[in-house]
Amino acid sequence: MQRKIAIIGTGYVGLTIGACFASLGHKVICVDKDVEKISKLCKGEIPIHEPGIEEILKKYKENIDYTSDIKKAIKESQILFIAVGTPSTEDGKIDMQYFRNAVQEIAENMDGYRVVVDKSTVPVGTADWVKEEIKKRYKGKFSVVSNPEFLREGSALKDFLEPDRIVIGTEDEKAKKIMLDIYSSIKAPKLITDIKSAELIKYAANAFLATKISFINEISNLCEKVGGDITKVAQGIGMDKRIGSKFLNAGIGYGGSCFPKDVDGLLSISSKYGYNLGLLRVVAEVNKMQQEKFMEKIKSMLLKTKGDTVAVWGLSFKPNTDDVRKSPALFIVTMLCKEGIKTRVYDPIAMENAKKELSFENIHFCESALETTKRADVLVLLTEWPEFAEIDFKEVKKRMRHLYVLDGRNHLKAEEIKKLGFYYEGIGKK
Ligand code: UDX
């Protein structure tokens, strides 16, 4: 059955789920306070980089509207998804101002039964707070649901339409029926839980994945000491179905808009409840240490003279996205620049976003990966874009001053590179 859905917030999650619900045949209104963004969306200009989203939005344009009039969206829809940003504050807490504003608008403009869905990642107990806030202003019936989102940038549409599971946190039969109905054409297990468990599932899932990454990064450091190969170790442990082979790639640590924020968020929730999540604290520390350790490796390969030059491949927090939020690559480039090292960088699509974050005199934004290597002493790979693995190292050799390659993602063809006379070092192996 076609349902009327309002999506409040047209950021990454909001726009993706809006497009997907439209493709499932529902009538969607995407709302954003940013008038300019809405007018661009109306003209078919997409503010995010996500493979396939443009096509979906075009194909199902009959089912999707954009507005900055939140009142209209609330009045015309039965299901209201809150998908606004909940970024981390400086001290690791969760910034709820956009979320609070959205709830306020909902409370003031509801004129009949609505299902209010928390899609943003919010602290445990938020749904109870939402109920109370709405009750203060609206006396009719309504439901609040927690429906966490697990989509990854770069594969967001597939993650939404073919998920491993759909989690619906509700204690209300009517809302449960409506939620199951809007997802009825998606073939995936649907887990119905109480609201607090659903709120915790999102944080716990991301915290567990971050733990897996920090764990393998620690083992990679041990591999370097004892002389093992982390790729083989990861393969060997990943073959145990209880462990699983995914998220065991050692590297320079995790970044992005979710893992660092959700790890900090869960730590802040746990301390609020008087529980010390010591394991997770270490996960975050290991992640930071991994980046610092890599920086030390780069420095150890330089001559420590004024002309020291580092070529950098990759700036986004992972491949296939232009997102540089909490990117380990950006962190390392920043450290290089602050050390006064000449830094020549290239990323296939994240250059514009990176430029906004990196205003140093000693940084040079290059037109291609090869161009970065001109008179460079060390080449470092920070993001594993597929195209970097295909670059001809004979050409790289012609350009570099010293032949050092540090592969922060174990992505390059190490044997071929070594044969050409380069000194190559990956992560957790020689
Ligand atoms: C993540 C979660 O996967 C997703 O379920 C959630 O909804 C949002 O956060 P995303 O941030 O898009 O998605 O990226 P993801 O592919 O999970 O990678 C996160 C970071 O971990 C990247 O910096 C990546 O380089 C790093 N990573 C991932 C590793 O270092 N090693 C791995 O094995 C996997």
Side-chain angles (χ1 to χ4, degrees), residues 12 49-51 153-154 316 318-322 349 383-386:
Y12 204 86
H49 174 88
E50 181 60 35
E153 294 185 19
S316 53
K318 67 173 189 179
N320 304 316
T321 174
D322 64 349
I349 60 168
T383 314
E384 67 276 34
W385 285 93

Side-chain angles (χ1 to χ4, degrees), residues 121-124 148-150 165 167 196-212 258-259 261-267 269 277 279-280 283:
T121 307
V122 288
V124 180
E149 189 48 66
F150 303 101
R165 79 304 204 186
V167 175
K196 288 203 172 108
S197 301
E199 287 175 332
L200 203 49
I201 284 170
K202 174 63 192 275
Y203 280 104
N206 278 351
F208 188 83
L209 292 169
T211 306
K212 236 180 150 179
C258 285
F259 285 178
K261 169 174 89 85
D262 292 352
V263 166
D264 285 350
L266 195 52
L267 283 169
I269 292 166
L277 257 180
L279 175 63
L280 206 55
V283 167

